[in-house]
């Protein structure tokens, strides 16, 4: 990340934190306010408890034959579909063929393998916690994986100046629900490890509804006429970490993939 980008993100983070009441409190404290600036308090460290990052569609447990030496450590856990309705992603024929190609090429074909940013909505249901930092204005999402983050603009909607991995997120409150619309994707992220994908025309509309202090109901509707025959929606609960020492720890994965990405550029050893 370039220096000027880091400075901009640091400034944005400081602006958000300055509006967060008692941000330094531990996650399980009893004096957690129910509302912030009149809106439901969704501050906290949250996590999805499912196998959607393996495959958004229903799937059985399966061995990964290429990694047989790892035994049960290298196996896909079974999971139910996170997709509303018939449980299937409504692909166009050409896009379905691309999904199959992606799936056959896993793990190399998956951007997660190379530590690229996960995009939206995948960042929400990766097997890592993420933090929502809510004050009286913009809302910050901080993710464990790849130290990713996104700032949800709560003012006048912004048009993304360029396409990026995480897109441009614009938010608003609809009653008790935070609605976030994200566009401006570069079309290079995948939705899971099963090769499910989208194009740069993707629009994601997320809804975060506070069910209780420790439970959000999450949904995301995906619209992409270049990839799907119709809009479709995923939904799942998100649970708040309540342990007193809960925090987001760094998983800066770039050092773990340098050999994978650049080993072929090594100079041959001198004889």
């Amino acid at each position: 990340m370039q220096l000027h980008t880091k400075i901009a993100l640091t400034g944005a983070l400081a602006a958000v934190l300055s509006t967060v009441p008692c941000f330094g409190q531990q996650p399980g404290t009893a004096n957690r306010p129910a509302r912030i600036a009149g809106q439901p308090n969704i501050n906290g460290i949250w996590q999805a408890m499912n196998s959607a990052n393996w495959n958004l569609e229903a799937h059985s447990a399966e061995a990964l034959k290429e990694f047989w030496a790892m035994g049960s450590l290298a196996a896909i856990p079974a999971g139910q579909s996170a997709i509303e309705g018939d449980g299937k992603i409504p692909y166009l024929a050409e896009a379905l063929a691309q999904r199959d190609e992606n799936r056959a090429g896993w793990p190399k074909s998956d951007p997660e393998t190379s530590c690229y940013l996960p995009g939206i909505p995948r960042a929400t249901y990766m097997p890592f916690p993420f933090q929502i930092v809510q004050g009286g204005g913009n809302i910050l999402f901080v993710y464990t994986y790849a130290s990713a983050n996104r700032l949800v603009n709560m003012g006048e909607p912004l048009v993304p100046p360029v396409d990026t991995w995480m897109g441009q997120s614009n938010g608003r409150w609809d009653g008790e629900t935070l609605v976030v619309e994200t566009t401006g994707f570069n079309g290079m992220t995948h939705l899971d490890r099963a090769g499910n994908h989208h194009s740069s025309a993707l629009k994601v509309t997320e809804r975060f509804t506070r069910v209780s202090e420790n439970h959000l109901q999450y949904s995301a509707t995906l619209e992409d006429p270049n990839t799907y025959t119709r809009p479709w929606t995923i939904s799942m609960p998100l649970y708040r970490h309540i342990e007193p020492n809960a925090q987001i720890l760094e998983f800066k994965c770039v050092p773990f993939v340098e050999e994978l990405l650049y080993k072929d550029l090594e100079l041959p050893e001198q004889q």
Side-chain angles (χ1 to χ4, degrees), residues 175-188:
E176 299 292 286
T177 298
L178 173 65
V179 180
V180 181
E181 294 183 356
T182 305
T183 57
F185 295 103
N186 62 12
M188 298 173 67

Side-chain angles (χ1 to χ4, degrees), residues 18-199:
S18 69
T19 65
V20 178
C22 306
F23 177 71
Q25 291 180 351
Q26 298 293 348
T29 50
N31 57 347
R32 172 185 171 90
R35 308 186 81 82
I36 294 178
Q39 305 298 347
N41 181 2
I42 60 173
N43 270 305
I45 296 175
W46 303 89
Q47 189 166 359
M49 303 294 184
N50 57 34
S51 60
N53 190 55
W54 278 104
N55 193 340
L56 284 171
E57 297 181 330
H59 54 281
S60 301
E62 181 181 349
L64 294 171
K65 296 179 180 179
E66 305 93 318
F67 307 103
W68 59 268
M70 296 182 66
S72 64
L73 297 179
I76 300 173
Q80 297 179 330
S81 178
I83 302 166
E84 294 183 355
D86 65 3
K88 299 290 186 180
I89 297 176
Y91 278 113
L92 295 167
E94 186 174 327
L96 181 60
Q98 180 63 56
R99 191 281 310 269
D100 293 342
E101 182 178 329
N102 294 342
R103 184 170 296 181
W106 189 89
K108 186 176 181 180
S109 61
D110 186 356
E112 180 189 1
T113 303
S114 300
C115 190
Y116 292 118
L117 294 177
I120 305 298
R122 188 177 185 179
T124 305
Y125 49 82
M126 294 189 83
F128 306 100
F130 66 93
Q131 185 166 10
I132 299 176
V133 184
Q134 171 196 6
N138 295 337
I139 299 176
L140 181 68
F141 285 67
V142 181
Y143 302 96
T144 299
Y145 174 78
S147 299
N149 63 74
R150 63 166 167 158
L151 188 66
V152 177
N153 166 53
M154 297 297 289
E156 286 293 318
L158 299 176
V159 177
V162 294
D163 292 341
T164 61
W165 291 90
M166 299 295 284
Q168 169 66 55
S169 293
N170 293 297
R172 57 184 171 83
W173 288 98
D174 181 9
E176 299 292 286
T177 298
L178 173 65
V179 180
V180 181
E181 294 183 356
T182 305
T183 57
F185 295 103
N186 62 12
M188 298 173 67
T189 62
H190 285 187
L191 301 175
D192 54 28
R193 294 173 179 172
N196 290 307
H197 66 104
H198 60 85
S199 77

